[in-house]
């Protein structure tokens, strides 16, 4: 459980830093009158804050699975499964999707509607390809006899890629909505602000998905095993 | 002002109940007097706090109840008072935690001269295994469990040859000797609980847990299960008999003889079966 | 530190960006698929209270069985375990969590912060419907073959998914699925509560001006968002073990003579996941109660809450600390015994901020002007039961003391006192307090007094003596206490007494339900601010508050929520949206 606690310490640290900017040492009974928020670049959109909070939640979810993984790993019946080649290709796809969204974000700032449309579709295609690729990996593994229940390593592989895949698919739904909006938006108007926000949110979420995937991939490929070994020795 | 009255009655009544009611822990039969002492310390500290808070509340409700013309004071905080209370609380907490951790350290440190016994929980009965002459318990494997080997002893392990297996029988323990209790389950969680011993520990399938104690009082004590293990959980009973060394030796001797006879019996039976084939 | 511009009278109107309000077009979108937080709050509350009644009735059956073993022929051991499991899970998750966060959170956060609604109203609506679906799945498990699971609310494997436990076929699966749905639904609601506090506050409503109720609910929501994933992961993994044959939690085991195809899994792993959720869950229930009770005491004692800043810091500290104490539920689980030192220390440390809260509550009474209204009575009773339950927590948190007491009736008595009775008393107090805002009418006082006295004294008499059964060595989750040399015959009489009290307390709730329904029509009109309280929910343009909560303009906040009996003020309270009075700024400055 060290991993999830470490993650939480990070989250709590951010929360504490934020609280420290909120004048929580002040004596409210002495302050009569309007207190305006400290002048700044204007509050970020609620949706963005909402997404960040959600990322913390999803982050705990993955941190917990990794914690469970690292505890179960120590049992004697653990046989790591080979990391299929295709995973590298899929990783590439997800990186491309993430990069495309970053590019799209820049486009939306430059007010290039065509660029935004192009980027959104591109990111969607890459991501979809990633999901299909992951399914192909599952099929390959099953064909080679790495069934879900035959070993805990397999079980965790399917569980964690599955959880990640579900998050990706949820993201795809949001991406589809933003894409639709991009195609129905005209050059000016309120919609543009919303569109830009939507693109930005997608980009943030995709970067998160990418980071999570890289961590999971590192675990699956076995590099993380050494890391756990070091941790365990440091602890005991 | 029945609120005031009730608050006082609750405070005083709880204390009276504590001292006068007939329900209290059973006389201890192991070396874990320390645990009882820690509980008593905790009772005193928490009891004082409980009564103090309730009586203070009662006083406030009486003294500052609403009356015409009475106004509340405006006092947002009082740092000195709050800091003082925090410090006192911290001391009280430390006064409970320190003995607690000290005794815990004792609890998890098994003395080197403790002799090991094994207790196995199975839905819903207790079984026991004592080392034979060699003083060692043999290895076990879940996959070895069979009708004639209910605890799954590894028949190839020489240490296990002379192990005494007790099923459906009382466990006997000698008085005054430290015992390391190894706990094992073959199905679900259980918890070996003899209220008189105070010590207890969950039993896990798939791994082994332990605790230790020294029995200090002779007698027969009931074993209960203290971890939900299915429908039969409340009926998972057994008995421990704590007795003087002499009586214990005699009992152990008898058990060992019974085991040998049994083993002879089975080998002879197997031989006969072979002969017939 | 930021420079604080102290305002003067006549500030310009709020510049807070208005939430895009949805506008219900039909009866159905208005009252059923509503996106208005106030309606969702009522939906949540009514559902949760109804489940509470069911769970209460289940506890009657359990108590009857314990007092008169075997008297009710339909309660066999299987049924008993199904009863405790459903009772426990319903109470903790589907009643208390849903009621405090979904019910009170939805109603009070926007109103107290001067917001028009939650920031994501659509997700907020979905949250309720997911919750309802989870409830339906949970209740459906009563009807499936084999009935609901009897694994105990802790659902420990292997027992929860092996033979010997009722509900093995369907019950456990439905329980896990229901929990997963609940968590998904809660996450949608929880994001709303948190982001509304972060983003939806009206002009002038700084964090340190928020009522403690909001602080409590806010912190609890953050905790719930971070803790529920642990239950989610545990539930998914257990479903895999149960349905797909993996061995996350399942070691080599023999199930009634047959070797199961599992191996290598770790039952302790589940316990870690469960309590990583389960302990914060205790505080998820407690923190909103802390917050609400602070406000009740302050309003009805006509005095500012004593040590507001400490109260806020304590809430935050408790919230953070409660993520590193989970293994105090596992002292005798067979985990690495050295963890005991760490977790006992953190657990007892958490007692300090908790104690500070108690001191500040009673110090608020000190030199107050105490009106013994029904909400105040419940608040006082909360302090009594919470202090009692909190103190027995020091027994169970102190590793070695927990050894003889764990898994006995002492534990049952402790957690009922601290997270059963105490928060429920706050819920009652809160309902008596805010019902006038929700409906425009006051609840009947005589009925309320009757309800209070029976509930408080009855509950105390149920659970206080129960500790001593545990001390004596009666384990929890026993279908019947049974005979053992160490239980004196009088212990059986005590059991009967407890059951009689439980039936009485249960029956008294009928008075409450009746009061809720009767006062809807016949209660005394309340006006906008019957308790003369400062916080914003009492300053709405109409009562009950209309769609959009406030009139054309959002209120502007000029002061904290506790300006009661300020020296020199004409009234004994100054609402939060009252601009500074003449000479006030000067008189308050340090
Ligand atoms: C007057 C009201 C209540 C009565 C009479 C009552 C009675 C009981 C009884 C008899 C048990 C089973 C004890 C055992 O055999 O181990 C139990 C368990 C439990 N109760 Fe209550 N209860 C009440 C209210 C509550 C409330 C408000 C909560 C909310 C926190 C709650 C939460 C639980 C939990 C979590 C369990 C444990 C279930 C388990 O062992 O798996 N109860 N209750
Ligand atoms: Cu049991
Ligand atoms: Cu806890």
């Amino acid at each position: 459980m060290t991993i999830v606690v470490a993650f939480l310490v990070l989250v709590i640290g951010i929360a504490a830093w934020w609280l420290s900017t909120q004048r929580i040492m002040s004596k409210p009974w002495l302050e009569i009158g309007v207190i305006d928020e400290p002048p700044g670049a204007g509050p970020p959109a609620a949706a963005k804050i909402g997404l960040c909070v959600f990322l913390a939640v999803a982050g705990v979810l993955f941190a917990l699975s990794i914690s469970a993984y690292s505890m179960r790993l120590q049992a004697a019946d653990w046989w790591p499964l080979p990391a299929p080649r295709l995973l590298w290709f899929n990783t590439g796809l997800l990186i491309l999707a993430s990069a495309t969204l970053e590019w799209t974000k820049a486009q939306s700032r430059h007010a290039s509607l065509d660029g935004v449309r192009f980027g959104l579709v591109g990111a969607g295609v890459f991501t979809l390809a990633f999901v299909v690729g992951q399914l192909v990996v599952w099929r390959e593994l099953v064909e080679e006899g790495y069934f879900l229940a035959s070993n805990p390593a397999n079980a965790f592989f399917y569980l964690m890629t599955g959880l990640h895949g579900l998050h990706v698919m949820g993201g795809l739904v949001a991406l589809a909505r933003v894409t639709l909006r991009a195609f129905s938006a005209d050059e000016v108007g309120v919609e543009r602000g919303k569109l830009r926000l939507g693109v930005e949110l997608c980009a943030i979420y995709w970067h998160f998905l990418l980071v999570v995937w890289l961590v999971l991939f590192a675990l699956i490929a076995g590099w993380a095993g050494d890391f756990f070994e070091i941790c365990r020795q440091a602890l005991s | 002002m029945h609120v005031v009255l009730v608050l006082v009655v609750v405070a005083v009544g709880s204390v009276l109940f504590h001292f006068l009611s007939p329900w209290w822990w059973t006389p201890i039969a192991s070396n874990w007097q320390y645990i009882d002492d820690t509980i008593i310390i905790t009772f005193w500290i928490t009891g004082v706090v409980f009564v103090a808070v309730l009586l203070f509340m009662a006083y406030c409700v009486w003294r500052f109840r609403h009356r015409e013309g009475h106004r509340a004071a405006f006092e947002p905080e009082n740092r000195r008072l709050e800091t003082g209370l925090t410090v006192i609380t911290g001391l009280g907490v430390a006064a409970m935690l320190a003995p607690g951790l000290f005794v815990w350290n004792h609890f998890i440190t098994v003395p080197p001269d403790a002799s090991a016994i094994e207790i196995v929980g199975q839905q819903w009965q207790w079984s026991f295994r004592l080392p034979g002459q060699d003083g060692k318990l043999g290895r076990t494997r879940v996959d070895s469990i069979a009708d004639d080997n209910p605890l799954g002893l590894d028949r190839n392990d020489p240490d296990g040859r002379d192990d005494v297996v007790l099923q459906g029988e009382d466990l006997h323990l000698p008085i005054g000797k430290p015992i390391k209790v190894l706990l094992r389950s073959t199905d679900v969680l259980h918890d070996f609980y003899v209220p008189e011993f105070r010590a207890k520990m969950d039993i896990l399938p798939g791994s082994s847990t332990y605790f230790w104690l020294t029995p200090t009082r002779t007698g027969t004590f009931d074993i209960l299960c203290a971890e939900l293990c299915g429908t039969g959980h409340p009926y998972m009973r057994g008995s421990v008999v704590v007795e003087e060394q002499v009586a214990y030796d005699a009992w152990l001797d008898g058990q060992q003889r019974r085991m040998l006879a049994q083993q002879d019996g089975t080998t002879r039976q197997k031989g006969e079966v072979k002969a017939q084939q | 530190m930021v420079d604080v511009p102290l305002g003067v009278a006549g500030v310009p109107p709020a510049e807070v960006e208005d939430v895009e309000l949805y506008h219900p077009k039909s009866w159905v979108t208005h009252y059923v698929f509503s996106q208005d937080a106030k309606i969702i709050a009522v939906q949540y509350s009514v559902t949760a209270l109804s489940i509470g009644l069911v769970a209460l009735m289940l506890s009657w059956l359990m108590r009857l069985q314990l007092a008169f073993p075997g008297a009710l022929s339909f309660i066999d051991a299987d049924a008993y375990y199904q009863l405790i499991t459903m009772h426990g899970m319903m109470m903790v998750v589907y009643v208390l969590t849903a009621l405090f966060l979904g019910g009170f959170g939805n109603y009070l956060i926007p109103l107290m912060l001067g917001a028009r609604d939650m920031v994501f109203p659509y997700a907020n609506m979905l949250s309720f419907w997911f919750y309802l679906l989870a409830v339906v799945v949970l209740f459906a498990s009563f009807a499936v073959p084999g009935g609901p699971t009897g694994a105990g609310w802790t659902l420990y494997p292997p027992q929860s998914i092996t033979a010997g436990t009722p509900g093995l076929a369907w019950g456990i699966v439905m329980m896990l699925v229901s929990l997963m749905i609940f968590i998904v639904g809660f996450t949608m609601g929880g994001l709303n509560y948190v982001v509304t506090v972060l983003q939806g506050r009206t002009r002038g409503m700084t964090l340190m001006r928020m009522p403690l109720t909001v602080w409590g609910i806010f912190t609890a929501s953050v905790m719930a968002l971070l803790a529920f994933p642990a239950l989610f992961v545990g539930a998914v993994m257990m479903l895999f073990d149960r349905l797909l044959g993996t061995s996350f939690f399942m070691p080599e085991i023999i199930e009634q003579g047959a070797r199961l195809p599992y191996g290598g899994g770790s039952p302790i792993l589940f316990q870690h996941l469960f309590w990583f959720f389960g302990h914060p869950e205790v505080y998820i229930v407690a923190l909103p109660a802390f917050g609400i009770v602070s406000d009740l005491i302050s309003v009805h004692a006509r005095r500012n809450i004593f040590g507001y800043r400490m109260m806020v810091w304590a809430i935050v500290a408790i919230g953070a600390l409660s993520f590193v104490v989970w293994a105090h539920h596992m002292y005798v689980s067979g985990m690495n015994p050295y963890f005991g030192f760490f977790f006992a220390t953190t657990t007892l440390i958490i007692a300090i901020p908790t104690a500070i809260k108690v001191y500040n509550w009673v110090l608020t009474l000190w030199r107050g002007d105490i009106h013994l209204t029904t909400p105040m009575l419940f608040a006082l009773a909360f302090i009594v039961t919470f202090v009692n339950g909190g103190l027995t927590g020091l027994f169970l948190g102190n590793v070695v003391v927990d050894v003889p007491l764990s898994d006995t009736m002492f534990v049952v008595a402790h957690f009922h006192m601290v997270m059963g009775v105490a928060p429920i008393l706050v819920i009652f107090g809160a309902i008596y307090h805010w019902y006038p805002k929700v409906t425009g009418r006051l609840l009947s006082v005589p009925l309320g007094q009757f309800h209070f006295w029976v509930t408080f004294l009855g509950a105390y008499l149920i659970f206080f003596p129960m500790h001593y059964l545990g001390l004596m060595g009666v384990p929890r989750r026993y279908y019947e206490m049974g005979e053992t040399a160490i239980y004196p015959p009088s212990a059986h009489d005590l059991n009967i007494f407890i059951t009689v009290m439980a039936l009485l307390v249960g029956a008294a709730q009928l008075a409450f339900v009746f009061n809720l329904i009767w006062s809807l029509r016949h209660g005394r009109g309340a006006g906008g601010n019957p308790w003369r309280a400062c916080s914003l929910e009492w300053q709405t343009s109409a009562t009950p508050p209309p769609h959009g909560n406030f009139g054309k303009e959002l209120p502007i906040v000029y002061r904290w929520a506790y300006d009661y009996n300020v020296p020199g003020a004409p009234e004994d309270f100054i609402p939060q949206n009252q601009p500074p009075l003449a000479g006030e700024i000067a008189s308050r400055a340090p």
Side-chain angles (χ1 to χ4, degrees), chain C residues 180-352:
Chain C
M180 286 163 60
I181 300 174
F182 180 92
I183 294 168
V184 172
F186 172 77
T187 306
M188 293 191 260
L191 285 175
N192 256 300
Y193 317 147
V194 171
V195 180
T196 303
V197 172
L198 295 180
Q199 295 285 305
R201 283 169 284 140
T202 188
R203 186 158 176 227
M205 179 61 87
T206 59
L207 284 193
M208 291 308 273
R209 281 177 173 176
M210 297 196 310
L212 287 170
T213 299
V214 177
W215 269 108
I217 296 177
F218 169 65
T219 314
S221 302
V222 174
M223 291 171 61
L225 284 174
L226 298 178
F228 270 119
L231 183 61
F232 192 87
V233 172
V236 173
M237 287 164 67
M238 198 194 286
L239 270 183
F240 272 46
D241 278 3
R242 166 71 185 75
L243 298 175
L244 304 175
T246 54
S247 299
F248 289 114
F249 305 132
M250 302 295 278
E252 296 81 12
I253 55 181
I254 310 263
E255 178 190 74
Q256 303 189 334
R259 172 81 168 78
L260 293 182
Y262 293 115
S266 159
I268 293 265
L269 173 57
F270 179 83
Q271 299 184 19
H272 277 299
L273 290 175
F274 184 86
W275 289 114
F276 189 85
F277 142 78
H279 184 81
E281 170 64 27
V282 175
Y283 282 95
I284 290 164
V285 172
L287 288 184
F290 290 177
I292 290 173
V293 88
S294 309
D295 285 353
L296 296 187
I297 292 176
S298 164
V299 172
H300 296 273
R302 313 306 299 158
R303 175 146 143 70
N304 63 287
I305 188 75
F306 188 84
Y308 174 81
R309 299 194 297 163
M310 276 282 213
M311 294 299 250
V312 170
W313 302 338
I315 287 180
V316 174
I318 293 173
L321 275 174
S322 63
F323 277 102
V324 286
V325 298
W326 78 87
H328 64 205
H329 298 270
M330 298 166 60
Y331 289 142
V332 295
S333 70
M335 66 170 179
N336 184 342
Y338 288 94
F339 289 175
F341 294 107
F342 175 76
F343 284 102
T345 310
T346 52
T347 302
L348 290 220
I349 286 177
I350 229 179
I352 299 175

Side-chain angles (χ1 to χ4, degrees), chain A residues 102-112 116 192 196 199-200:
Chain A
E102 192 59 36
W103 178 80
T104 316
K105 205 170 89 186
Q107 292 300 308
S108 79
R109 236 180 262 129
H110 300 146
S112 146
V116 170
R192 291 298 292 281
R196 188 186 300 170
V199 172
E200 197 182 341

